Amino acid sequence: MTPITVGIAGITGKFARCVVGHLLKHPNVTIKGYCRDPTKLPAALLASPRISITQGQSDDKTALQTFAKGNDVVVCCYLGDHNLMINGQKSLIDACESEGVSRYVASDYSLDFTKLELGQLPAKDPMKHVQEYLKSKNVQGVHVLIGIFMETFFTTFFNAWNAKESSFSYWGSGEEMWESTSYDNAAQFVAAVAQDPTAIGVQRFLGDRKSIQQIATAFEIQYKVKPQLNRLGSLDELYTHMQQVRDNDPNNFMAAWIPLFYKFYCTNGQTYLTPDVDASKYSEVPRLTFNDFFKHNSPDSLSTAAWGVGSNVSAQ
């Protein structure tokens, strides 16, 4: 197999560690990592002869160029505020261009933001800016879309699942689809994309697509417990409510209103990946469904499953 060097920016993050774990399964792959604090990386990965680390800030031009040099592709796994997600990525893209890196996998890993207008779902605006910036650069942009992370769906961020009450809450009819992929499954797909020089532009992958009613049915089949379903209102009512919450508390971005915006745009049909997902691409990558996810987690651990993501990655 042809040797390939993959750069991972933000390598200490949990999703990045999952990507690293899957890349290390391929003996032809070497990895260059970029991060602010290498000590946050597991000792086994730091000690791996196949991984080298460059330490630096997101705006450190010299460090970024040192990191980018010699990579065949750079995978960005940044997660942070708009400054990091826009300006940090632009600086990284500039370094990739100056060092001749042919492809840049943007830190997207989300619902189909390309179908959103700026301002509709503010958390996704950086992705649109980065996509546009890449069009002006001599680096081929890659944008991986996976719906939402399955682990995140069950956290208090979405408040769709209540572990104490064993209940699901939803807006709409209950038949709207949730498109979702687990962290590890998405990372496995990203690892495949990183090794494929023909993978450019938008790449779509989906673990599962189920309505809240279907998710509740899968839950009942696996755990032999019938969860309660709580309807909170129509999608039109959700739209009105989320705008009011933002207007009343605009600075309370994460806790107050952005989860409501996610709920709306995840289920109103505007950002669906299907039917565009190519089920045959990278057939070696399995698809972990909600049913599979339940098999791997107890009811009590669903809401905290995201905490352990990337914690068991080994150096092979």
Side-chain angles (χ1 to χ4, degrees), residues 1-6 20 22-32 50-51 191 194-195:
M1 299 178 68
T2 304
I4 180 173
T5 301
V6 180
V20 168
H22 285 293
L23 286 172
L24 289 176
K25 295 176 181 178
H26 302 273
N28 61 310
V29 176
T30 56
I31 296 170
K32 294 184 68 177
R50 295 170 59 195
I51 301 175
Q195 296 174 82

Side-chain angles (χ1 to χ4, degrees), residues 156-312:
T156 54
F157 177 81
F158 274 106
N159 273 326
W161 163 246
N162 187 313
K164 292 183 179 179
E165 298 179 359
S166 190
S167 65
F168 290 98
S169 297
Y170 67 95
W171 297 81
S173 66
E175 297 179 353
E176 295 86 0
M177 294 295 170
W178 285 88
E179 296 187 331
S180 187
T181 306
S182 75
Y183 271 97
D184 191 66
N185 205 187
Q188 192 171 3
F189 179 74
V190 170
V193 167
Q195 296 174 82
D196 179 5
T198 69
I200 58 174
V202 175
Q203 306 291 314
R204 298 174 175 87
F205 179 83
L206 200 58
D208 203 1
R209 186 174 194 264
K210 279 185 169 62
S211 69
I212 199 75
Q213 294 177 349
Q214 292 171 328
I215 294 170
T217 297
F219 180 98
E220 182 179 1
I221 291 173
Q222 176 60 34
Y223 302 126
K224 313 304 179 188
V225 175
K226 186 177 180 65
Q228 180 179 336
L229 284 170
N230 300 323
R231 184 174 185 268
L232 303 175
S234 67
L235 286 183
D236 287 341
E237 290 170 325
L238 170 58
Y239 184 84
T240 299
H241 176 59
M242 72 191 200
Q243 300 292 344
Q244 290 174 342
V245 172
R246 179 172 64 174
D247 291 344
N248 291 337
D249 197 1
N251 294 324
N252 199 356
F253 181 85
M254 288 299 292
W257 56 269
I258 202 63
L260 297 172
F261 276 66
Y262 266 106
K263 286 184 178 183
F264 181 78
Y265 286 107
C266 280
T267 56
N268 76 335
Q270 183 175 341
T271 63
Y272 284 159
L273 276 61
T274 51
D276 298 320
V277 175
D278 183 355
S280 63
K281 194 169 189 179
Y282 311 121
S283 57
E284 73 277 11
V285 180
R287 279 160 171 74
L288 189 139
T289 66
F290 279 104
N291 304 62
D292 298 324
F293 187 75
F294 290 145
K295 291 177 183 177
H296 289 91
N297 293 276
S298 69
D300 293 337
S301 69
L302 291 175
S303 58
T304 58
W307 299 358
V309 170
S311 59
N312 297 317

Side-chain angles (χ1 to χ4, degrees), residues 76-98:
C76 184
C77 294
Y78 287 170
L79 178 63
D81 61 19
H82 276 32
N83 181 58
L84 175 65
M85 300 308 291
I86 298 175
N87 296 324
Q89 288 201 80
K90 285 182 177 180
S91 295
L92 182 55
I93 292 165
D94 289 345
C96 288
E97 183 178 49
S98 70

